[in-house]
Amino acid sequence: LEERLKERRTLNLEGRRQLYDGLDRLGVGYIATQSNFMLVDIDGLRVPAVEVPEELLRRGLIVRNGSALGCPGYMRLSIGTAEENALLLEKLAELK
């Protein structure tokens, strides 16, 4: 169990770094986190913020609208594998 927890912590740390770097390159803001999910600022994309989660769903990704969490203009996403994170960044770039 301890080894599995260590592995998950490492994957989560690497995933956060990957997302932070990718979002910084895209010029997309976010709220730094220590958890396995994060809030990403989706105001200013070419799609209205309220429509971004649905647009990403059409592109095969599931995120939550931040409005449901009291954070309008943000989306909540889970930090995934390197491949999942890369796909998210790719699809988000299409909305930039």
Side-chain angles (χ1 to χ4, degrees), residues 2 12 16 22 28 31-32 34 49 56 59-60 72 83 92:
E2 196 62 36
N12 198 34
R16 281 195 311 264
V28 173
I31 297 175
Q34 293 297 312
L56 288 173
R59 295 165 191 249
E83 295 79 18
L92 195 56

Side-chain angles (χ1 to χ4, degrees), residues 24-96:
D24 287 342
R25 280 192 304 275
L26 289 174
V28 173
Y30 54 88
I31 297 175
T33 184
Q34 293 297 312
S35 70
N36 64 338
F37 65 89
M38 62 189 295
L39 292 172
V40 175
D41 185 352
I42 52 176
D43 270 338
L45 299 178
R46 64 180 177 82
V47 176
V50 70
E51 296 175 19
V52 170
E54 186 66 32
E55 185 59 36
L56 288 173
L57 182 60
R58 281 193 279 279
R59 295 165 191 249
L61 301 169
I62 299 172
V63 299
R64 288 190 65 190
N65 190 323
S67 295
L69 305 169
C71 301
Y74 285 82
M75 68 178 176
R76 178 195 181 275
L77 59 91
S78 296
I79 297 166
T81 65
E83 295 79 18
E84 292 165 339
N85 295 336
L87 181 63
L88 172 82
L89 293 167
E90 175 189 321
K91 299 303 178 184
L92 195 56
E94 294 172 1
L95 305 180
K96 195 68 178 119

